[in-house]
Amino acid sequence: MPTPTKGPRLGGSPSHEKLILANLATELFRHGKIKTTETKAKRLRPLAEQLITKAKRGDLHARRRVLTVVKDKDVVYALFEQIAPRYGNRPGGYTRITKTGPRKGDAAPMAVIELVEELEVVATTAPAKKAARKAAAQQDKVEALAREDEAPAAAAPAAEAEPDQDAEAPENASGDKGAEDQDNDNKA
């Protein structure tokens, strides 16, 4: 069990609180997510995370330690054989608490606590994001420099290919000179 918290307990006595948390953990592992009050969800999270960590070890001693909290053998089997292997590479953070609205009867703040699916995309850490941005900026600079080197080389042959302004105007496709050239010929 996690360290006892200061202040009022969830039940009337410490043993009652332990039973409440054990039942919540059993239902969490059975259904994958449960809806409860925010306070109970916050108290359940450390216990559930410890039980999953023990289940990841997978040995007999860990199984017996989990059985002292979760009394249902079917749930313990599912925890060790199905739930724990999903989190083999994950160092922690197996549960998520999502706050929902207040309960209708007494306006108690409610929350949903659920097991996090391993298939989710793990968010990249800030240093990794920064390094990725820096690498992308460096790549952009290299590409820009390469384009600048190619641009003057490509512009030089194009300048040589342009006809001189002093040369005669080309004839139209029909072989006639342009209208301006005909006017100039008539005046001369």
Side-chain angles (χ1 to χ4, degrees), residues 1-180:
M1 298 298 301
T3 7
T5 58
K6 294 183 179 181
R9 289 182 292 276
L10 297 177
S13 64
S15 60
H16 189 206
E17 181 176 359
K18 286 172 71 173
L19 288 173
I20 289 172
L21 291 175
N23 288 335
L24 286 171
T26 302
E27 294 306 310
L28 176 64
F29 297 138
R30 179 176 289 142
H31 299 291
K33 69 179 179 177
I34 55 172
K35 185 174 184 179
T36 183
T37 62
E38 284 181 23
T39 308
K40 287 181 183 175
K42 287 178 182 178
R43 292 278 190 84
L44 174 61
R45 175 183 265 174
L47 175 64
E49 305 245 344
Q50 287 177 7
L51 293 175
I52 292 173
T53 304
K54 287 176 185 170
K56 281 172 54 176
R57 284 185 24 207
D59 58 354
L60 181 62
H61 181 66
R63 188 177 293 265
R64 287 180 176 163
R65 294 286 304 264
V66 170
L67 274 167
T68 60
V69 177
V70 179
K71 303 297 184 193
D72 191 351
K73 291 182 181 180
D74 294 333
V75 174
V76 172
Y77 174 80
L79 176 62
F80 275 77
E81 301 301 322
Q82 297 167 2
I83 297 172
R86 288 194 318 208
Y87 303 114
N89 297 329
R90 194 179 184 105
Y94 312 119
T95 58
R96 173 189 308 126
I97 296 176
T98 308
K99 295 180 180 180
T100 59
R103 188 163 46 197
K104 189 173 183 180
D106 59 354
M110 299 298 286
V112 173
I113 182 167
E114 59 188 337
L115 298 174
V116 176
E117 294 299 321
E118 187 59 32
L119 299 176
E120 291 181 3
V121 176
V122 178
T124 356
T125 59
K129 285 182 181 179
K130 188 175 181 179
R133 272 187 265 139
K134 190 174 182 180
Q138 186 68 23
Q139 183 66 24
D140 289 343
K141 287 180 183 177
V142 169
E143 289 174 0
L145 289 174
R147 275 187 252 127
E148 287 177 6
D149 290 342
E150 292 174 4
E160 293 172 7
E162 281 185 27
D164 292 334
Q165 296 294 334
D166 298 335
E168 268 188 48
E171 295 181 2
N172 291 341
S174 62
D176 297 334
K177 290 184 177 183
E180 291 179 10

